[in-house]
Structures are given as C-alpha cells and as structure tokens.
Amino acid sequence: MNKPIRETPGSFRSARPYLLLLPAFLCLAAFTYWPMLQVLLASLSDKKRVGDSGTFVGVENYFRIFQDAHFLGALANNALYAAGTVIPSVLFGFLFALGLRETTNLSSILRSVLFFPTLVPLVGAAAVFIFVFMPDIGLLDYYLAKLGVSATNWLGNPDLALVSLMALTTWKNAGYYMLFFLAGLQGVPQDAEEAAKIEGANWLQRLYFVIIPMLGPTFAFVMVIALISAVSQIDHVIVMTDGGPNNSTSLLLYYIYQQAHEFYDLGKATAATVVTLIALLTLSFLSMRTVERKVHYET
C-alpha cells in the first residue's frame, strides 16, 4: 500500500527557490561584493599597504589621480589600446568563423590552428613576441628586410610600442572570439538564407541583411568581453615593455600595480581601480545599448 504523499507547507514552498540560491549568493557576496566594498573604503583612506588601518581622507585620492599626468597618460593609452584591439580582434574572429563555417577536415584543422593562441599563456606569448619584434634579428624585421624595409625598434619606439602590444592581443584573442561566432552562425536559420538567395540576393547582401542581424546578440556579447579584456590585462606589459618607453605602454592596470606594489600608495591605487571599474561599466552599458538597437532576437 502506497504511503500518502505529504504536501510541502506553502511558506516553505515559496521560500525554496531563495534557499536554493542562497549558497551561490553567499559565494558572490564573499568573493565579489565584499572585496569591492573593501576597495571602495580603501579608496577613501590614506592606506599605504595592505593591513594598514589608514585614516579617512574622503575623495582626496580621486583628486590626486586626476592631477597625476601618469594616470591621465595611462587612461589615454588604455583608450587607444581598447580601440586598437577590440575592433580588430572581433572583426578577425568574425571573418575566421565566416570562412570556416562549413565543417570539413581542413576547416577543423584550421579552427584548431586559429584557436591555439588562446591556449598559450599571455606571459609565454609575450616572451615569443619579444623575439618577433627584436630589431635586426627579429622575425618581423627578417621578412620586412626581404621587402626592402629597414630594421625598426618596435618595442623601443614610443610611437610603435603600444601598436606592438595591440598586435599580440589581437593575435591571441581573435581565435577565442571565433568560437562564439561559429556557435552563433549555427543558429542562423538556413531557410532565411535560402529565401534571400531565391529573391536574388548575392553573398554580400545575404551577409549584410540576414547573417549579421541574426548575429546581433553574439556581437554584443563578444564586444563586451573584448572590452573587459582590453582593461584587465597586464602580463604582456610587464614582460615586453615594463610600461615604457616614456610610459607609452603604461595601461590602467599597470598604473594600479605600480601604485600598490612599487610606490606603496594603496589609497591612490584603489581610487584608480574604482575609476577603472566605473569607466568599464559605463562603456559596457553603452556598447550593449548601441549594439542592441540593431540586434535581432529570434522568437
């Protein structure tokens, strides 16, 4: 004889979803929101190192960083670096995915080759690119010399050092973004492309009017993670240029690292961190709103 099923009390049933979410919320609060609150509080103090008690100084640290030419230079460098890495890496990722959309033996190999840079640690990739950019004996100058171009000190020239870092980041990230576009292309309905083809649309017209609008959500997502990547990387700066020459490759994260660990000014470093986070959130929001206006969501 089957036992009767005991009904769950109504109050417990309504609270059950929140109880299931509680462990995740506690982890989020402990490892995300609490550290962010600590950073915000430290930015309002004159702390020099981790563990110092410090005294409350209000927004003085924020005035100090905006009067610091080094911080303003890092801000400008990071804006250039973001513009020079986000657009090329997203564009190359999209073109790679478009070219390797059809699954064949050769496309599988090429996908692996293009994705391989993503697996290389950034420090290792930076060490390899130092050899590539070496004047006279570097790989880049070797091939340019065959075209009659004279040797260039890529990492020692203030006008070229940041561009060299952009090349490394684009090389490393394009294959990673390709995966998102490949997944997005699989969701483009074939009947929409076939209908456009029957209507006489050529390949470019199908790309512009059918494929790209369908990939709107993918573009929005990839743009945001590319933007975050442009602000959150520091390893290659330390390995390849150490912020030089003449601070031409000093990015925001490198500036924060210097203030916290070389100049022992934690208040200034945390104030710069808060400004960076606010700028990043604002840019992410604006890019999402801009892209979403042209996004097609399939229903």
Side-chain angles (χ1 to χ4, degrees), residues 87 212-213 215-217 219-221 223-224 227 281-297:
I87 296 173
I212 291 179
L215 287 178
F219 270 106
F221 174 73
M223 288 288 286
V224 170
L227 196 58
L281 287 173
T282 304
L283 288 174
S284 300
F285 176 75
L286 290 177
S287 61
M288 286 290 290
R289 289 296 299 268
T290 302
V291 176
E292 274 186 344
R293 290 177 184 173
K294 298 182 180 181
V295 166
H296 168 81
Y297 288 103

Side-chain angles (χ1 to χ4, degrees), residues 129-145 149-165 167 240-241 244-245 248-249:
F129 268 68
I130 286 177
F131 169 71
V132 171
F133 289 127
M134 272 186 178
D136 292 323
I137 60 173
L139 200 60
L140 184 57
D141 273 357
Y142 173 79
Y143 286 107
L144 288 177
V149 180
S150 57
T152 304
N153 188 359
W154 297 95
L155 297 178
N157 187 332
D159 297 327
L160 297 175
L162 190 62
V163 177
S164 303
L165 296 186
M240 295 176 72
T241 63
S248 61
T249 58

Side-chain angles (χ1 to χ4, degrees), residues 177-257:
Y177 302 148
M178 174 190 70
L179 294 185
F180 295 102
F181 286 115
L182 281 172
L185 285 170
Q186 291 179 358
V188 175
Q190 291 295 318
D191 53 349
E193 285 192 68
E194 291 297 329
K197 193 182 296 185
I198 292 172
E199 293 291 330
N202 58 34
W203 182 82
L204 281 177
Q205 290 171 327
R206 295 199 301 276
L207 177 66
Y208 184 76
F209 292 107
V210 178
I211 295 176
I212 291 179
M214 291 285 183
L215 287 178
T218 307
F219 270 106
F221 174 73
V222 173
M223 288 288 286
V224 170
I225 62 172
L227 196 58
I228 293 172
S229 172
V231 180
S232 61
Q233 293 182 341
I234 185 177
D235 313 49
H236 57 325
V237 176
I238 295 175
V239 173
M240 295 176 72
T241 63
D242 209 16
N246 297 330
N247 292 325
S248 61
T249 58
S250 179
L251 304 180
L252 284 172
L253 205 58
Y254 183 73
Y255 172 85
I256 293 168
Y257 164 79

Side-chain angles (χ1 to χ4, degrees), residues 11-30:
S11 57
F12 179 77
R13 190 165 54 243
S14 60
R16 187 165 52 186
Y18 302 101
L19 292 174
L20 293 173
L21 287 172
L22 187 59
F25 177 76
L26 290 176
C27 289
L28 196 64

Side-chain angles (χ1 to χ4, degrees), residues 62-75:
Y62 293 91
F63 284 112
R64 289 173 61 209
I65 61 169
F66 280 107
Q67 292 172 349
D68 186 352
H70 188 182
F71 173 77
L72 297 177
L75 194 62

